[in-house]
Amino acid sequence: MKRYILLLSAALTFILGASAQPAAVKKATQGVLSLNTFRADGSLISTSYGMFVSDSGEAVAQWTPFEGAAKAVAVDAQGRRYEVEELIGADDLYNVCKFRVSGKTPFTPVAQAPKSESQLWVACYSVKGARLLNASTKKFETFTRNPTGTAEKSFPFYILNFQAPSDVSYCPVIDSRGEAVALLQSSSPDGTANAVSILYPSEMTFQKIGGSMLTLSKSSIPSALPSDYSEAQLALMLNQQQRTPEAMMATANLFIKRFPNKPDGYQARARQYIATKDFRKAADDLEHAISVAENKAEAHCAYSVAILQKLMYLPADSFPEWTAEKAIAEARAAYSISPSPAYLLQSAKAMFVAGDFSEAYDAYMKLQDTNLAGPETMYGAVQCQQALQAPADTVIALMDSTIALCPHPLTYQSAPYVLQKGIICQDLGLYRKATASYNEYERLMVGTQLSAAFYHNRFICNREARLYQQALDDIQKATELEPRNALYHCAKGALEIRVNLAEQAITSANNALIADPRNADAYAILGVAQCMTGRKHEGILNIEQAKSYGYADADKLLKKYK
C-alpha cells in the first residue's frame, strides 16, 4: 500500500508539473532543431539536436557531429529543412558550436543572464507537438570563456536533477519565461545531468585566430565570413591554408556569394580547380576575376601566377590555352597598367619558364634598381646566366653579388646561397672554391644535422683537390648518416686504396656488400685491397666476381694482379 501511494505521488507530481507548463515554455519548443551531418560521400555521421537562436538562421548545437562533415541539414519543429551554410564558432572542450543556415527560421530567445532557478524544462525535438520534460537545478556553477575573441566572460553550468532519456542529448533547457538557458549534455546513473550555458555558443563570433578556428578546421563545412570585406579577405586566406580541399572550395563559393563583385573568391576557387585539374573552370574564374577587379593589374598578375604554377607543377596535364607565353602576356598586362616591381618579377619568372633567358636576365637586373633588389632577384639572374651557359667567371661573379646582397654578418637564412655557390663551383670543377663555400655553409648551419649528400659532395671536392684527410673525414660522416648506402662505402674504400689504407678499404668494401650483396664496385675494391695485402687468391676471385656483375675495368685489374 505504501509503495502504491509513493508511485501515485510521483505520477501526480509529473502530471501537475506538466500541466503547470507556462505558455511561453510551450512556445519555446518551436526553436528546437534536429541536426544531421554527412560525409563527402553522403553517408550519415550523426544525428543530434540544438536550437535556433535568431530568426536569421543562427543556431547552436553539439560540435562533435560536425567533425569530418562535408554537409549538414537542420530540421525545425515544423519539419522544414535548412542547409547549414557556415560555421561561426566552436569549442571542442564544452562540445558546443554556433552555425548559420540559409533562410528565415523560428527561434527561441536566449536568457541573457545566469539563471539559478530550480524549475526548468528540457525541450525535446518533435514534429508532432511540444514535448517537455521536467527538470530542476541541483547545483549551479560558472565557467569562463572568450566567445568573441575580445574578452573573457563567465557563463553558467548546470547540474540538473534529471534522468535523461537516450534521445534528448543537446536538446535545450528552458526556463519559466520561455528562454533557453542551457544545452543538455551528459547524464549520470544517479539521476543527474549536466547542461552547458546556451548563452556561451550563442555569443560566438568569427575569430581570425585562436582555438575556435583550429577547431572549425576539423570540418569541411565552410567557416563564417565577416561582413567587412577586408576581414573576409583575411578569413578566406586563413581558410585556404588550414582547411580540407572540400572546405576550401565551399569557403570560396561562400565568398563569391557574399562578395560577387570582388576577385578574391574566384581566384581562390580557381586554385581549387587547378588542384583537381579542371583548368577550363579555373581559366573562366580567373578571367571573371579580372572583369570584376578594381585592381586590374593585380588580377592579371594573379592569372599569370596561376598559369605558371600549372606549367611548373602539373606539366603533364594538357591545357593548350595556358602557355608560358600566356603567362608572360598576363604579367606584362599587369605591368602596363601599373609598373610595379612585383609585376616585373612575375614577367621575369614567366620568361625564364618560356626559355627567354636573355630577357629574363635583363628583367632580373632591372629589378636591382627597385625595392625588390636583393639576393632572391639576383639569384634569378644567376640562374638565367647558367641556362645561357655563360662563362664560369660571369656566373660566379653574379653568385658573389647574390651573397653580397644578403644581410651581413651572414646567418643561416643566407646559407642556401652559400651552398648554391658551392654547388656551382663543384659543377664547374673549381673544387677548392667549392670546398670553401661548403665549409662556410657548415659554419652557418651549426647546430643543424646536415645530410649525408652534403658530406658526400664535399668529399668529392676535397678528394679532387687532393685534401685526402678532409675527404676521408667527410665520407666517414656520410656513411655514419646512411650506413646502408653502398655508394658511400665504395667511395670511402676507393679513396682508402688510393692512399694505401688497404685494410680499411677491405672493411669499407665489406660494409658496401652488406648493404648491396651484388655491388660490382664493392667486389672490385675488396679484391684490389686483398691483393695489396698479399691475399692475391682471394683478391682475384673477388675481382672475377666484380666482372660477373659488370665491372668495366675488371680485365685490367686481373691482368695487373695475376
Side-chain angles (χ1 to χ4, degrees), residues 83-394:
E83 294 278 344
V84 174
E85 187 176 60
E86 59 186 7
L87 301 173
I88 298 171
D91 185 328
D92 48 11
L93 177 62
Y94 285 94
N95 200 10
V96 291
C97 68
K98 184 179 182 181
F99 58 91
R100 182 180 289 108
V101 302
S102 55
K104 191 176 180 66
T105 56
F107 73 101
T108 300
V110 175
Q112 295 301 307
K115 298 290 192 290
S116 59
E117 60 188 69
S118 61
Q119 187 60 55
L120 298 167
W121 289 266
V122 176
C124 306
Y125 176 79
S126 175
V127 294
K128 298 178 181 179
R131 180 187 171 207
L132 291 159
L133 302 178
N134 285 65
S136 62
T137 304
K138 179 178 181 179
K139 190 176 180 181
F140 177 83
E141 300 176 349
T142 60
F143 65 96
T144 302
R145 281 327 235 189
N146 186 351
T148 62
T150 56
E152 290 192 338
K153 181 177 177 179
S154 293
F155 296 94
F157 190 86
Y158 301 83
I159 293 89
L160 305 177
N161 287 311
F162 182 68
Q163 186 64 55
S166 60
D167 62 343
V168 299
S169 179
Y170 283 84
C171 283
V173 179
I174 309 298
D175 65 15
S176 59
R177 288 165 293 279
E179 295 180 334
V181 297
L183 287 173
L184 192 70
Q185 292 186 312
S186 59
S187 61
S188 302
D190 64 359
T192 63
N194 295 334
V196 64
S197 168
I198 207 169
L199 183 62
Y200 169 43
S202 73
E203 290 191 354
M204 287 179 175
T205 59
F206 166 76
Q207 296 184 35
K208 300 183 184 72
I209 57 174
S212 182
M213 174 164 283
L214 294 175
T215 301
L216 293 178
S217 69
K218 299 175 184 176
S219 176
S220 291
I221 296 172
S223 297
L225 292 174
S227 57
D228 179 79
Y229 172 58
S230 297
E231 290 190 358
Q233 283 182 301
L234 176 60
L236 178 65
M237 180 189 70
L238 293 173
N239 271 281
Q240 298 293 301
Q241 293 174 347
Q242 298 179 353
R243 307 298 292 279
T244 64
E246 295 81 8
M248 290 190 289
M249 178 63 83
T251 303
N253 285 327
L254 186 62
F255 194 99
I256 290 169
K257 181 179 179 181
R258 188 76 55 82
F259 304 100
N261 295 318
K262 299 294 185 181
D264 313 75
Y266 302 103
Q267 292 166 347
R269 189 167 68 180
R271 287 192 289 271
Q272 296 308 308
Y273 283 139
I274 292 171
T276 58
K277 302 179 183 180
D278 196 340
F279 304 117
R280 178 69 271 158
K281 288 183 178 179
D284 290 344
D285 268 348
L286 289 165
E287 287 164 9
H288 189 74
I290 293 171
S291 70
V292 300
E294 294 178 14
N295 188 335
K296 302 289 185 187
E298 191 166 324
H300 278 292
C301 186
Y303 196 2
S304 176
V305 169
I307 294 170
L308 211 58
Q309 289 179 337
K310 185 272 173 196
L311 295 174
M312 293 170 65
Y313 302 117
L314 297 170
D317 297 288
S318 176
F319 188 59
E321 292 180 28
W322 281 8
T323 63
E325 287 70 25
K326 173 68 172 171
I328 294 170
E330 291 297 327
R332 284 176 173 167
Y335 191 75
S336 67
I337 296 169
S338 173
S340 165
Y343 305 147
L344 180 59
L345 175 59
Q346 179 60 25
S347 295
K349 291 178 179 179
M351 287 186 289
F352 185 88
V353 172
D356 299 335
F357 303 123
S358 292
E359 289 188 64
Y361 171 77
D362 291 341
Y364 278 119
M365 294 308 291
K366 187 176 180 180
L367 284 166
Q368 301 314 307
D369 295 324
T370 72
N371 63 348
L372 290 184
E376 296 89 351
T377 51
M378 184 61 79
Y379 182 61
V382 172
Q383 291 177 301
C384 291
Q385 289 299 316
Q386 284 181 292
L388 290 167
Q389 298 182 332
D393 289 348
T394 300

Side-chain angles (χ1 to χ4, degrees), residues 446-458:
V446 64
T448 302
Q449 179 62 69
L450 303 181
S451 68
F454 167 79
Y455 289 110
H456 180 245
N457 278 335
R458 194 169 68 177

